[in-house]
Amino acid sequence: MIQPLTRPRRKNPVLRTPHPLLPPGGRSRAALGLTAAAAIGRFELQVCAECGAVQYPPSEVCRRCLVGALRWREQSGLGELLSETAVHVSHDPFFRERVPWRLGLVRLDAGPTAVVHLHSGCEPPPSRVRVGARLDKSGQGVLLAFPLHEVPNMADDPELREMTAHPKYRRALVTDGKTPVGQALVRALIGAGAELVWVGHAEPWKQQPGLAELEALPQTALVPLDVTDSRSVKQAAAEIGGKVDILVNNAEVHRTHGIGSRSGIEPARAEMDVNYFGLLRLAQEFGPVMRARGADGTASAAAWVNILSIYALVNYPPHGSFSASKAAALSLSQCLRAEMRPGGIRVINVFPGPIDDEWNQTLPPPKLAPAALAKSVVRALEDGIEDIYPGDVAEEWLARYLESPKTLERELGL
Amino acid sequence: MAKSRKTSRKSALRTGAPRTDQRRKSPSRRSAAGPRPKRGATPRRVREAVVAAPVTVPYVRYSIRNAHWFVARALAQLLKESGLRKPQIDGLSVGSFGLSPDTAIGLTQHLGVTVCWLDHVPLGGACGIVALRRALRAVEAGDAEVVACIGADTNHVDSFRQSLSSFSVFARDAVFPYGSGGPNASFAFLTSYYMRTFGARREDFGKICIAQRDNALGYRHALFKKKLTLEEYLNARPIADPIRLFDCVMPCAGAEGFLVMTRERARALGLPFVRVRSTCERHNAFPDDPIQIRGGWVLDRDRLYGEAGIEPPDLDFVETYDDYPVMSVIQLEDLGFCAKGEGPEFVRRHSFTTDGSFPMNTSGGQLSVGQAGCAAGFLGLVEAIRQLTDRNLARPVPEARFGLAVGFGMITYDRGLCSGAAVLGRADA
């Protein structure tokens, strides 16, 4: 039985906002493989290419055969909960604020025994559990044991909630929220239980289909916000910056040019101004206050989402300057991720394939529907995933990219 | 030898097992340790090393001194106790976690000693037994004449937390980020599992803690000086379920030490000494056990008692490595006082007080004395030497002739990796 999360009370402005603390984040290089997999929503352990042994904790050698190369491979996570405890006295300030903290010792069916965070839906030992990997607030991969079957209020488990950015009872800002993708994001956030969603709009005179209905929802509020205008960003941050728990940066300019198809740099400059400098302006104004609110109760500031593009990984020449602006945004986002980490704020990069909109008109299907994109963003928030690649095209590009970035470059450049 | 001992001696541990050795007739019990050496057939070691001069640097909860200082104080006491001068100590063995960035070699300059044999044994709860084993071999081989074995550590206000996060690569990667409960959480898993599997109750562990506290009341260096009641034990502050406050040891600063030298040398110096009947050491035993319910002693106990020429019932007292009461119970099982899983029943049958039916941790053990880092690996050994040389600081076990000291330690991930034990006997036993 999991206690459902209660709606946080209105904050007393006189009370001090707790300083965000992080769980211990130090790891060996070998252990970062767990983090890398958890960042894309996978639970992987080292498997020996020689003898097949699955090992945990991670190490640089296979401790069975001492020879084989170790590869990270996805695991089912099924195992037996052998023992459990609840820590009441912790040596770490982060956990001291959060005790009692339930832990388990699980014998994985794959072989190793693992110390895990224990979801409150798990039956006492001996019982069957499913271990998954999540990023904790320090941004490092950790193991968490779940009950085998879904239980009510699963996401409200206090340990799990520390590792995710679930929208429930949180307040979100969607920049450029009037676009089809923006509207889909707003609706998906509300559907996931967001308390309030601010819909940023740069051009108040512009009406978009569906906007009136969206505006009529009690959980939405329009807010003027032009990411190309530093003053506008500053003003919006002054008004709502201290309340935004989830920021979804959806503002985007997308033109279909390479280098030679058009003279001059104006379209490319416009792309950079929104896609790159827009992110920078937002990050400078909204970043610090969000970071400071990383431990502000059960609905603390939790995540920053950048809608990038799969073209950020490798340039797609027909949309060459757009690809370049997204690559710049990706690089900046990695910087933002490092700077937000002390607050425990998850920076989520979304790498969609072609979205089914006017700028991808000439591209063949499959194209990503805005609602599908929004759904995967919400899933990333709910699971605390750091990088997502929604859509079949993005998944295929990613697979090709992971196998050989150079090959993909040639494939796209032909 | 032990076989000739009168079975009616009151001080012997009453384990409930008959003193006649039935195990010796059962060949299957020997398989793990190989054939047992024939008693009397092996010539006695030409140079026999013995142990003398047990010393303790009094424990304090916190100290502003470093570990080097505690090692130095222990060495000074060893010199005073033995009447030796520094140049006469030609071997040094140090167990300590807190010397970093130094190791034993740096200490030679800190302490101003010149030695021809040097050892660094940072094996926590097993460092006393391991240091003893190696020093015995060194002296018997003639590599050193007198080896000072010292376990020492300091404890600053924040040093325990810092040592936890950097204790091992596995601890940093796969334990500390999980609630940061330290060893309390690790032993909570083992305690909870043991209770469920073998029917142990909190009261059983409480009995051990309370008896040890009674023993500690007679030992002036114990940090805990107040009697403990079962009610206090059961209702103490929860630490990591099912572990509560009095299941845990108190980290502190202090040092323990002894000298290893030849029997002739000890006699010439007029030092009371004990003979080491046998020792054992095992690391990372049973790696495939899903969770720890036994230690390496299971592999070594037949050889341990075989070489000692005695059996568990011949022992007059036991110094377990009691970092948590469940470990004492596991050691009693694995060292042959009762079968696996019969620990709780065994605990219910005995009193564990110095004057009682099964004297255990006669100075109070770490649970009552405190855990001074690596000195904890020496605590039981030093107390055993005192008991068998009549240099008691704690209450003496009446007519004690044989004692067992146990070492256990180094939870680098989910279980204690090191196990060891030493059977000690009086000089004339």
Side-chain angles (χ1 to χ4, degrees):
Chain A
M1 172 66 192
I2 299 159
Q3 281 295 320
L5 200 64
T6 48
R7 177 190 296 264
R9 296 175 59 178
R10 208 183 153 84
K11 195 179 167 191
N12 180 345
V14 177
L15 291 183
R16 171 181 174 266
T17 303
H19 188 85
L21 296 171
L22 302 181
R27 295 291 191 280
S28 67
R29 188 164 195 278
L32 290 179
L34 186 75
T35 297
I40 56 169
R42 294 160 69 99
F43 170 35
E44 294 181 349
L45 292 182
Q46 290 177 312
V47 179
C48 176
E50 183 78 20
C51 70
V54 178
Q55 79 175 11
Y56 184 82
S59 164
E60 300 214 348
V61 293
C62 168
R63 50 184 158 274
R64 191 201 281 173
C65 72
L66 305 176
V67 216
L70 295 163
R71 310 197 196 291
W72 289 87
R73 291 287 177 264
E74 190 146 33
Q75 302 292 315
S76 77
L78 293 173
E80 189 187 342
L81 180 63
L82 297 174
S83 192
E84 73 162 304
T85 185
V87 172
H88 297 270
V89 175
S90 172
H91 298 279
D92 181 84
F94 173 85
F95 289 110
R96 281 184 86 90
E97 289 180 346
R98 289 159 177 84
V99 293
W101 191 271
R102 197 178 180 209
L103 300 174
L105 193 68
V106 173
R107 174 70 151 190
L108 294 165
D109 293 351
T113 294
V115 177
V116 300
H117 300 294
L118 192 57
H119 191 281
S120 49
C122 293
E123 297 292 325
S127 62
R128 297 286 297 167
V129 293
R130 181 177 51 80
V131 174
R134 290 288 184 278
L135 298 176
D136 70 8
K137 267 209 150 44
S138 77
Q140 297 291 26
V142 289
L143 302 181
L144 173 64
F146 294 90
L148 278 193
H149 306 289
E150 195 82 10
V151 291
N153 310 312
M154 192 93 172
D156 292 352
D157 174 73
E159 293 184 18
L160 180 59
R161 192 155 165 105
E162 290 288 353
M163 297 169 202
T164 64
H166 202 291
K168 189 172 177 183
Y169 296 138
R170 286 197 161 104
R171 290 169 292 186
L173 164 65
V174 179
T175 67
D176 230 355
K178 294 202 299 198
T179 64
V181 170
Q183 290 191 27
L185 285 165
V186 172
R187 288 183 187 280
L189 286 164
I190 291 170
E195 184 77 12
L196 176 67
V197 182
W198 285 285
V199 184
H201 61 150
E203 297 152 324
W205 59 89
K206 222 187 217 176
Q207 274 302 319
Q208 297 256 14
L211 184 64
E213 293 91 318
L214 197 70
E215 218 185 323
L217 293 174
Q219 300 97 330
T220 59
L222 287 178
V223 54
L225 174 59
D226 179 354
V227 300
T228 64
D229 178 352
S230 296
R231 206 186 305 169
S232 162
V233 175
K234 207 180 264 293
Q235 188 165 349
E239 278 174 30
I240 62 168
K243 302 173 196 165
V244 172
D245 305 316
I246 296 171
L247 190 151
V248 184
N249 181 20
N250 168 60
E252 173 178 294
V253 170
H254 186 171
R255 296 293 177 267
T256 52
H257 301 299
I259 295 169
S261 61
R262 198 181 161 125
S263 67
I265 63 165
E266 284 319 311
R269 193 197 291 275
E271 283 168 339
M272 287 299 280
D273 202 23
V274 172
N275 301 353
Y276 172 77
F277 286 111
L279 169 59
L280 182 56
R281 289 185 192 97
L282 281 170
Q284 283 181 343
E285 298 302 332
F286 283 86
V289 64
M290 280 184 75
R291 188 175 60 193
R293 288 190 50 251
D296 196 8
T298 50
S300 65
W304 181 296
V305 183
N306 291 312
I307 309 291
L308 301 174
S309 162
I310 192 67
Y311 305 159
L313 293 185
V314 179
N315 193 286
Y316 180 53
H319 298 199
S321 61
F322 172 75
S323 301
S325 71
K326 289 293 186 180
L330 167 60
S331 183
L332 188 68
S333 168
Q334 289 165 342
C335 173
L336 178 64
R337 188 173 276 157
E339 292 192 10
M340 295 298 264
R341 189 158 300 135
I345 308 294
R346 185 126 316 151
V347 173
I348 298 171
N349 283 335
V350 185
F351 300 86
I355 296 164
D356 198 2
D357 65 10
E358 56 186 322
W359 300 103
N360 291 314
Q361 181 211 341
T362 59
L363 294 184
K367 287 188 273 192
L368 187 61
L373 171 63
K375 198 174 150 191
S376 28
V377 168
V378 165
R379 217 205 103 207
L381 290 166
E382 288 172 349
D383 290 345
I385 297 170
E386 203 168 83
D387 291 318
I388 55 166
Y389 303 84
D392 295 336
V393 173
E395 277 181 27
E396 184 176 320
W397 276 40
L398 177 67
R400 289 171 191 262
Y401 177 79
L402 292 177
E403 194 173 280
S404 168
K406 181 54 89 178
T407 307
L408 180 60
E409 180 194 316
R410 282 293 188 281
E411 287 175 309
L412 297 174
L414 285 174
Chain B
M1 296 294 283
K3 274 187 83 180
S4 64
R5 289 177 60 212
K6 287 174 195 150
T7 51
S8 59
R9 282 184 58 248
K10 281 181 187 168
S11 58
L13 297 179
R14 286 181 280 276
T15 60
R19 269 180 187 270
T20 42
D21 183 16
Q22 294 171 336
R23 301 196 322 163
R24 210 165 293 149
K25 290 167 192 152
S26 156
S28 63
R29 298 289 296 264
R30 263 176 241 167
S31 52
R36 163 191 307 236
K38 277 193 192 130
R39 200 156 310 138
T42 325
R44 201 65 194 155
R45 291 163 288 190
V46 181
R47 268 166 73 94
E48 187 191 341
V50 297
V51 188
V55 302
T56 298
V57 179
Y59 289 17
V60 288
R61 175 77 171 103
Y62 293 115
S63 171
I64 59 170
R65 304 290 167 209
N66 62 4
H68 305 60
W69 185 88
F70 280 93
V71 176
R73 294 300 308 147
L75 182 61
Q77 277 186 240
L78 287 171
L79 296 174
K80 191 173 165 208
E81 187 81 8
S82 63
L84 290 165
R85 287 172 298 109
K86 239 201 265 180
Q88 293 171 294
I89 306 274
D90 61 354
L92 177 66
S93 171
V94 179
S96 178
F97 288 135
L99 293 175
S100 177
D102 277 322
T103 62
I105 185 59
L107 270 179
T108 59
Q109 224 167 12
H110 273 267
L111 305 174
V113 295
T114 302
V115 293
C116 61
W117 187 90
L118 184 66
D119 202 5
H120 186 216
V121 194
L123 292 180
C127 69
I129 301 288
V130 174
L132 171 68
R133 272 168 71 83
R134 296 182 189 173
L136 289 169
R137 299 291 181 268
V139 169
E140 287 175 0
D143 291 343
E145 288 297 320
V146 180
V147 178
C149 297
I150 297 169
D153 262 304
T154 188
N155 188 41
H156 309 319
V157 168
D158 196 35
S159 54
F160 188 68
R161 184 186 68 88
Q162 288 175 2
S163 72
L164 289 179
S165 53
S166 58
F167 192 71
S168 71
V169 171
F170 285 172
R172 187 184 50 174
D173 286 348
V175 184
F176 200 63
Y178 296 82
S180 308
N184 295 332
S186 302
F187 282 95
F189 287 136
L190 309 189
T191 303
S192 167
Y193 185 85
Y194 186 93
M195 290 171 78
R196 195 179 82 229
T197 309
F198 300 119
R201 300 185 302 241
R202 293 260 313 135
E203 287 79 357
D204 300 327
F205 299 132
K207 182 174 181 180
I208 292 176
C209 297
I210 291 162
Q212 290 190 197
R213 183 62 58 85
D214 286 346
N215 293 345
L217 296 180
Y219 179 57
R220 72 173 115 108
H221 292 320
L223 286 184
F224 291 88
K225 300 180 189 305
K226 233 182 86 192
K227 203 170 167 61
L228 179 67
T229 68
L230 185 62
E231 197 184 358
E232 285 169 326
Y233 170 86
L234 292 173
N235 299 324
R237 188 154 66 100
I239 303 293
D241 301 335
I243 283 179
R244 288 176 181 252
L245 187 63
F246 296 113
D247 293 301
C248 307
V249 297
M250 171 103 76
C252 61
E256 308 270 350
F258 52 79
L259 294 176
V260 176
M261 63 186 78
T262 60
R263 180 146 62 155
E264 291 67 32
R265 188 65 177 271
R267 284 212 174 110
L269 289 167
L271 285 177
F273 62 87
V274 299
R275 295 175 68 184
V276 182
R277 306 294 295 237
S278 65
T279 60
C280 69
E281 167 184 352
R282 186 72 63 165
H283 305 289
N284 197 20
F286 308 118
D288 296 326
D289 284 2
I291 181 171
Q292 186 161 44
I293 54 159
R294 55 181 175 168
W297 308 285
V298 174
L299 299 173
D300 296 314
R301 63 185 174 206
D302 286 357
R303 198 179 51 74
L304 181 76
Y305 293 125
E307 283 182 12
I310 65 167
E311 291 298 329
D314 298 324
L315 290 158
D316 299 298
F317 63 92
V318 173
E319 309 290 341
T320 61
Y321 190 81
D322 62 323
D323 50 356
Y324 294 84
V326 70
M327 284 319 303
S328 287
V329 178
I330 287 175
Q331 287 160 39
L332 294 176
E333 292 170 344
D334 293 356
L335 282 156
F337 297 98
C338 60
K340 179 57 64 190
E342 287 176 8
E345 203 44 54
F346 187 86
V347 169
R348 289 163 206 160
R349 278 208 312 273
H350 291 286
S351 76
F352 304 108
T353 49
T354 306
D355 56 358
S357 65
F358 191 96
M360 183 166 88
N361 297 329
T362 47
S363 65
Q366 300 169 66
L367 284 168
S368 284
V369 178
Q371 184 184 59
C374 275
F378 279 66
L379 178 71
L381 204 45
V382 166
E383 167 63 10
I385 300 165
R386 288 203 174 106
Q387 287 286 352
L388 297 171
T389 52
D390 299 322
R391 302 180 73 76
N392 297 84
L393 295 182
R395 286 190 286 254
V397 175
E399 294 179 65
R401 282 159 51 94
F402 293 101
L404 177 70
V406 189
F408 169 73
M410 306 306 287
I411 288 217
T412 63
Y413 174 49
D414 62 335
R415 63 195 68 199
L417 293 181
C418 309
S419 56
V423 176
L424 306 181
R426 271 188 189 274
D428 56 356

